Amino acid sequence: MNIKIRNLILLYLLCLLTATATAQKPVNFTVQQRQTSPTELEVVFTGRINAGWHVYSTNLGSGGPTSAALKTETLEGLQPVGGLRAIGREIENHDPVFDMKVRFFENMVQFIQKFQITAPVYHVKGFLRYGACNDHECMPPTRVEFDYTGKGTPEKAAATAEKAKEEPQTTEKEENKKDTVTTSINDLVTVGDTLAADTTVMDAGSDLWTPVIEELKAFDKGEDATHSSWFYIFIMGFVGGLLALFTPCVWPIIPMTVSFFLKRSENKRRGIRDAITYGISIIVIYLTLGILVAGLFGPETLNGLATNAVFNIFFFLLLIVFACSFFGWFELTLPSKWTNSVDSKANKTTGLLSIFLMAFTLALVSFSCTAPIVGLLLVQTVSSANLGAPIIGMLGFAIALALPFTLFALFPAWLKQAPKSGAWMNIIKVTLGFIELAFALKFFSVADLAYGWGLLDREVFLSLWIAIFLLLGLYLIGVYKFPSDMPNTASTPPLTGEAGRGLPKPMPVVCILMGLASIAFSIYMVPGLWGAPCKAVSAFAPPMSTQDFNLYHQEVTARYTDYEEGMAAAAREGKPVLLDFTGFGCVNCRKMEAAVWTDPAVAEHLKNDYILISLYVDDKRPLATPIEVNDNGEKRTLRTVGDKWAYLEQYKFGHLTQPFYVAVNPQGKPLTKAYSYDEDISKYLEFLEEGLSN
């Protein structure tokens, strides 16, 4: 009997404990009013959440769990400022029950609603409604009620109310924008002051410009996109060197030079050594040229040259001259006494110096063919604003140019199998002339965009490229010829047809195939005149925003091109920000926009989940007031919009090249590691989603 009574007592106690545990609320909220100024009031809800439970965030959308929301039943003498703001460690996960992404808080959360006091006495009454769940069950939508009255400073409150009456037309959106605290660099830099690199105390809102270089490095796991861009530059230089090999100024010299080294030496081993030394000398000569270009300009100067109108117009005219030279209009040559002087010194000297001078003679003799290619390569690398780019590019060019001399010296039998000099070399020259002409337009476009002239919009650019590559295709299939292609009548009379006209020699099959490809490329660009993306040329063509007639509306464009304005919008909407440091003359930026941003998943994130802010570091529009800053101990004046954004990128994020993407919160703090040029869509999606989850 005693045992039964004891069991009943234990059972009763167990039920009592279970009921007590069940009755205990898993979430407990406290509410208080907080008057932050005579004209501002905040109602603050602080929630403590039991382990295993979570409270859902604001604005989750329909069809999901209960979002946190504020409802007011009485509102007198107050005006809401913005929406309900959540503070805490927000977590985002996919909920299989609702089959959607949900955002929630664990352990603790604060919801804050800000009001503006518009009367000497105010009264606000209402409730916070929220939802909470654990892994097995959910609470019903729960209310936290509040009822507050109070007083503001009569004079200031009355002034605020009077001001509100004077501006009845102000919309809620404009009011939110007006009350959002933002500080531009113009506000930070006052008369007589400078924005120093070691500034630690600034005015309210200046966190937007606070450096976050160390925080950004903390996200970085040691990955460096610079190496991939340098590899691209090296390959570009190497291809340029290969093209230079097959020009009339270089190819005929190869067998003569290799034979000279092999014959003048007492043994084959020494001849091979001399030929290898000759190749190394070529590398040293052209590499020195790249080092000189890099040494004359710092990274900031290179970035400025990339979009400077004078230099871009100069590059444009220079490439036009190179193209005309390749077409056979005239020949670029250095003074003959330079070549004769170096050649005579090479004959008088012996040893390594003699071989080096012979390599220098090659550089001078082949100038008419290599100068346009080297010039285009250096112009491209300088426009990348990368200090090491000219060096890496010229290294690739020199290796490709020197490689045949070494290989043919090691394997002389290959000389017999090498193609003989002929008309095919002139075809390569003319083809390069068309390519130089197309690239020239790109540099004019950069200056046109940076200064807003509007002379070369996307339709005009594409029309010119269509014409250029159509003419190139017709040339390659033999429809017409240049004077330099016609055979010498004194030695090889032209073929005659029934009408007695001279007929050009039929084009090789390879040329015809390349010509068809060029014509097809022209046809491919035609839809671009009506707004088609034309991803293959997007890196060079002006952006879609310059298109006057556009039937394509799937492109992604930034909502804001001003840092402070975009960050204020992010604060209002409670969204993260994607800062896109770009440039009108940035080729890789256009590639990313065409190849990556147009992906549906990426576009969805950029349009709906982020506030996208594109900051053009080469925007030449003048600032309303020049800004003086302290840049690493030196005073510097920011005069253009592009100067301001370039300084922001360098000062806040410790970076200078473009494209450069940073995901930040509305306070300007990084959410994940930065992202540079990489057209891998899966990596870019991972970068965006990691920023959202953080």
Side-chain angles (χ1 to χ4, degrees):
M1 185 68 179
N2 294 335
I3 296 176
K4 290 183 178 180
I5 294 174
R6 186 181 62 185
N7 289 342
L8 288 172
I9 293 172
L10 289 175
L11 181 60
Y12 173 77
L13 292 174
L14 180 61
C15 292
L16 182 62
L17 289 173
T18 304
T20 304
T22 305
Q24 184 181 5
K25 292 176 62 177
V27 180
N28 292 281
F29 267 97
T30 59
V31 58
Q32 62 177 340
Q33 65 171 334
R34 186 167 60 194
Q35 193 166 336
T36 57
S37 77
T39 59
E40 288 185 343
L41 172 74
E42 288 183 343
V43 178
V44 182
F45 303 87
T46 303
R48 298 187 181 277
I49 310 167
N50 289 354
W53 285 80
H54 52 260
V55 172
Y56 291 103
S57 186
T58 59
N59 303 317
L60 296 184
S62 59
T66 302
S67 302
L70 185 79
K71 302 295 181 182
T72 55
E73 299 170 339
T74 302
L75 188 63
E76 299 174 356
L78 294 174
Q79 182 177 343
V81 178
L84 186 67
R85 185 160 51 100
I87 297 179
R89 181 175 175 271
E90 191 178 63
I91 301 171
E92 183 177 13
N93 277 332
H94 182 271
D95 192 313
V97 176
F98 296 105
D99 192 23
M100 62 181 289
K101 281 188 175 182
V102 296
R103 294 175 285 108
F104 55 84
F105 300 90
E106 295 177 345
N107 301 321
M108 181 175 287
V109 64
Q110 273 192 339
F111 295 107
I112 301 175
Q113 177 62 58
K114 185 178 179 181
F115 296 93
Q116 184 180 50
I117 303 173
T118 58
V121 178
Y122 63 83
H123 180 204
V124 58
K125 180 181 178 181
F127 59 87
L128 169 75
R129 186 181 63 184
Y130 69 92
C133 293
N134 61 15
D135 293 338
H136 308 288
E137 57 183 331
C138 292
M139 294 172 56
T142 308
R143 293 185 177 189
V144 181
E145 297 186 357
F146 64 95
D147 188 351
Y148 293 118
T149 58
K151 297 180 180 181
T153 301
E155 297 81 5
K156 295 186 177 181
T160 303
E162 187 66 26
K163 184 177 180 181
K165 291 179 181 178
E166 292 175 359
E167 300 175 353
Q169 73 280 6
T170 304
T171 64
E172 181 179 352
K173 182 177 180 180
E174 292 170 341
E175 193 68 37
N176 292 343
K177 180 177 179 180
K178 181 176 65 179
D179 289 328
T180 301
V181 178
T182 59
T183 301
S184 68
I185 191 171
N186 293 355
D187 300 320
L188 300 181
V189 186
T190 56
V191 177
D193 295 330
T194 58
L195 185 62
D198 59 351
T199 300
T200 55
V201 181
M202 293 186 183
D203 297 332
S206 62
D207 283 348
L208 294 180
W209 282 80
T210 301
V212 292
I213 299 172
E214 295 304 321
E215 292 93 323
L216 206 57
K217 287 181 179 178
F219 283 110
D220 196 0
K221 299 178 182 178
E223 300 175 8
D224 188 1
T226 303
H227 297 295
S228 60
S229 62
W230 281 8
F231 178 75
Y232 169 78
I233 293 171
F234 177 83
I235 292 299
M236 186 172 65
F238 190 83
V239 171
L242 291 179
L243 291 174
L245 278 175
F246 298 108
T247 56
C249 310
V250 179
W251 187 258
I253 300 177
I254 296 176
M256 292 188 297
T257 305
V258 173
S259 300
F260 170 77
F261 282 125
L262 294 178
K263 290 178 181 179
R264 84 165 190 167
S265 303
E266 299 175 356
N267 53 62
K268 183 178 179 181
R269 178 175 297 179
R270 183 178 176 183
I272 293 174
R273 185 198 67 185
D274 289 348
I276 293 175
T277 305
Y278 184 76
I280 294 175
S281 299
I282 294 174
I283 294 175
V284 171
I285 290 169
Y286 285 101
L287 186 60
T288 302
L289 178 60
I291 293 173
L292 287 174
V293 172
L296 289 174
F297 310 105
E300 293 178 10
T301 306
L302 289 178
N303 194 64
L305 289 179
T307 55
N308 182 276
V310 175
F311 275 89
N312 273 278
I313 296 300
F314 172 76
F315 293 154
F316 164 71
L317 296 175
L318 182 66
L319 294 183
I320 293 292
V321 171
F322 287 159
C324 293
S325 173
F326 273 157
F327 289 152
W329 191 3
F330 54 83
E331 188 171 339
L332 294 172
T333 56
L334 293 173
S336 57
K337 63 178 182 179
W338 291 11
T339 306
N340 296 334
S341 176
V342 175
D343 189 39
S344 63
K345 289 182 179 179
N347 293 329
K348 294 177 182 179
T349 56
T350 58
L352 295 178
L353 180 59
S354 172
I355 297 174
F356 180 83
L357 290 175
M358 288 183 63
F360 197 63
T361 303
L362 169 69
L364 297 178
V365 170
S366 62
F367 177 81
S368 61
C369 293
T370 58
I373 300 174
V374 171
L376 176 61
L377 179 62
L378 287 177
V379 166
Q380 282 290 97
T381 54
V382 165
S383 65
S384 71
N386 189 325
L387 186 60
I391 301 174
I392 299 298
M394 292 311 299
L395 178 63
F397 178 89
I399 290 176
L401 196 63
L403 200 58
F405 294 95
T406 304
L407 290 178
F408 285 136
L410 293 173
F411 308 100
W414 289 4
L415 280 172
K416 298 179 181 179
Q417 302 174 0
K420 305 299 180 183
S421 301
W424 60 271
M425 292 185 297
N426 192 73
I427 295 174
I428 292 177
K429 276 188 65 176
V430 173
T431 302
L432 289 175
F434 279 105
I435 294 174
E436 297 261 355
L437 197 60
F439 271 93
L441 293 174
K442 184 256 183 185
F443 290 98
F444 184 84
S445 173
V446 170
D448 180 65
L449 289 168
Y451 288 87
W453 297 334
L455 300 176
L456 191 66
D457 58 15
R458 192 170 183 268
E459 294 101 321
V460 176
F461 184 94
L462 289 177
S463 298
L464 292 172
W465 266 43
I466 290 170
I468 289 171
F469 285 96
L470 179 62
L471 289 174
L472 172 60
L474 295 176
Y475 167 76
L476 289 174
I477 64 177
V479 173
Y480 67 94
K481 291 291 182 181
F482 280 82
S484 57
D485 292 305
M486 304 307 292
N488 190 335
T489 54
S491 57
T492 309
L495 300 174
T496 56
E498 295 179 359
R501 294 181 303 171
L503 296 177
K505 185 179 179 181
M507 300 295 286
V509 175
V510 175
C511 291
I512 294 175
L513 293 176
M514 292 176 62
L516 292 176
S518 183
I519 294 173
F521 183 57
S522 295
I523 297 173
Y524 162 80
M525 289 186 286
V526 170
L529 300 176
W530 291 273
C534 295
K535 294 183 180 181
V537 300
S538 59
F540 307 99
M544 193 72 73
S545 58
T546 65
Q547 186 95 14
D548 294 326
F549 184 64
N550 185 5
L551 299 178
Y552 180 82
H553 300 288
Q554 301 301 316
E555 69 275 3
V556 177
T557 55
R559 288 174 56 186
Y560 299 94
T561 55
D562 181 88
Y563 178 58
E564 287 88 2
E565 184 181 353
M567 295 298 285
R572 289 196 305 272
E573 299 179 25
K575 289 184 177 182
V577 175
L578 181 66
L579 294 176
D580 164 36
F581 288 96
T582 182
F584 295 117
C586 175
V587 172
N588 288 339
C589 301
R590 302 292 87 77
K591 288 182 179 179
M592 290 292 293
E593 292 163 9
V596 180
W597 283 12
T598 53
D599 178 80
V602 173
E604 179 71 16
H605 282 311
L606 296 180
K607 290 180 179 179
N608 300 325
D609 299 330
Y610 278 94
I611 298 294
L612 178 59
I613 307 175
S614 289
L615 303 176
Y616 288 84
V617 300
D618 52 5
D619 191 333
K620 300 302 182 183
R621 290 177 300 162
L623 291 170
T625 303
I627 305 168
E628 188 178 79
V629 297
N630 190 325
D631 189 5
N632 295 323
E634 296 182 2
K635 287 187 177 182
R636 177 182 163 200
T637 302
L638 310 180
R639 292 183 171 85
T640 67
V641 174
D643 290 342
K644 181 179 176 181
W645 305 144
Y647 181 75
L648 171 66
E649 183 185 9
Q650 182 184 18
Y651 172 73
K652 185 175 178 68
F653 301 107
H655 203 82
L656 194 60
T657 59
Q658 296 79 44
F660 184 67
Y661 307 98
V662 193
V664 298
N665 64 15
Q667 291 73 44
K669 302 297 182 183
L671 297 172
T672 182
K673 63 183 178 182
Y675 195 97
S676 296
Y677 173 68
D678 189 340
E679 294 184 43
D680 190 323
I681 294 176
S682 61
K683 287 183 180 179
Y684 200 79
L685 273 173
E686 182 182 351
F687 158 71
L688 294 176
E689 290 170 356
E690 184 177 351
L692 289 171
S693 65
N694 287 343

